[in-house]
Amino acid sequence: GAGVSQSPSNKVTEKGKDVELRCDPISGHTALYWYRQSLGQGLEFLIYFQGNSAPDKSGLPSDRFSAERTGGSVSTLTIQRTQQEDSAVYLCASSLSGTGGTQYFGPGTRLTVL
Amino acid sequence: AQSVTQLGSHVSVSEGALVLLRCNYSSSVPPYLFWYVQYPNQGLQLLLKYTSAATLVKGINGFEAEFKKSETSFHLTKPSAHMSDAAEYFCAVSGHTGNQFYFGTGTSLTVIP
């Protein structure tokens, strides 16, 4: 079926506002990952979902970041009270299985916090 | 714990020359290893994946990588660079337990005509 999709593709917001980023994984993929890619840096792991549960939240940089996944499908990453250092590309990936499974990436959401 | 080190954040090669992008991993057991490529303004796509079936792994676009346990390396090579190979390349490792992927910081490949 279709690949991983993310929306919006670009988001510009003002410092202090909340934002929601959406990820639609490939149908049937049970594992879902969120990463952050800052300019000139690699991918920073944020959170992993297996089904609707998040066994690994170790990468969330602060309590302003949260994520949920409903129905084992769509996931939303929420950033509260955005800061300028939150500006980055947020990538979502999904895989058939968690351990060792190939991850398929979405195009990302470019977040700019003014 | 696993980790990945990519030596050289920027690599430049002439068109037609050998491409060698280095990746070393740290893992207590042989892991799953991946190379991903990110073309400008595009998402990451899988180039190739090592799963212990064979130490030499062939991927898309003429790339291949060899798993060397003794050197804990998984370097990416291509015999002859093409202009279209210019991109960012990421090495990643995943363990046999747990679900985290650890990505390297990436290597930007420039191909000089």
Side-chain angles (χ1 to χ4, degrees), chain A residues 67-105:
Chain A
E68 64 176 16
R69 188 179 186 193
T70 56
S73 181
V74 172
S75 176
T76 302
L77 176 69
T78 302
I79 308 173
Q80 296 178 308
R81 305 181 302 281
T82 52
Q83 303 294 314
Q84 289 185 332
E85 59 264 29
D86 298 334
S87 296
V89 176
Y90 290 82
L91 294 169
C92 174
S94 70
S95 70
L96 270 176
S97 65
T99 304
T102 299
Q103 296 191 8
Y104 296 87
F105 283 81

Side-chain angles (χ1 to χ4, degrees), chain B:
Chain B
Q2 296 108 21
S3 67
V4 168
T5 302
Q6 290 184 244
L7 295 176
S9 58
H10 297 276
V11 171
S12 293
V13 299
S14 298
E15 189 175 15
L18 171 72
V19 176
L20 171 61
L21 305 181
R22 299 178 186 276
C23 172
N24 288 86
Y25 69 90
S26 171
S27 176
S28 56
V29 295
Y32 297 107
L33 291 158
F34 306 77
W35 274 100
Y36 282 84
V37 60
Q38 187 176 30
Y39 297 105
N41 300 314
Q42 294 187 30
L44 278 80
Q45 59 179 280
L46 181 69
L47 264 182
L48 50 81
K49 172 182 178 180
Y50 168 74
T51 59
S52 78
T55 56
L56 183 63
V57 182
K58 294 187 182 296
I60 61 172
N61 301 336
F63 283 93
E64 62 182 35
E66 185 173 7
F67 172 72
K68 291 187 177 180
K69 183 179 177 181
S70 62
E71 300 177 6
T72 60
S73 69
F74 191 57
H75 301 332
L76 182 71
T77 61
K78 181 174 180 177
S80 177
H82 192 271
M83 297 298 294
S84 61
D85 294 327
E88 188 88 14
Y89 292 80
F90 293 93
C91 183
V93 61
S94 175
H96 288 263
T97 59
N99 302 290
Q100 276 208 29
F101 264 56
Y102 297 88
F103 281 85
T105 52
T107 297
S108 177
L109 176 66
T110 300
V111 181
I112 303 166

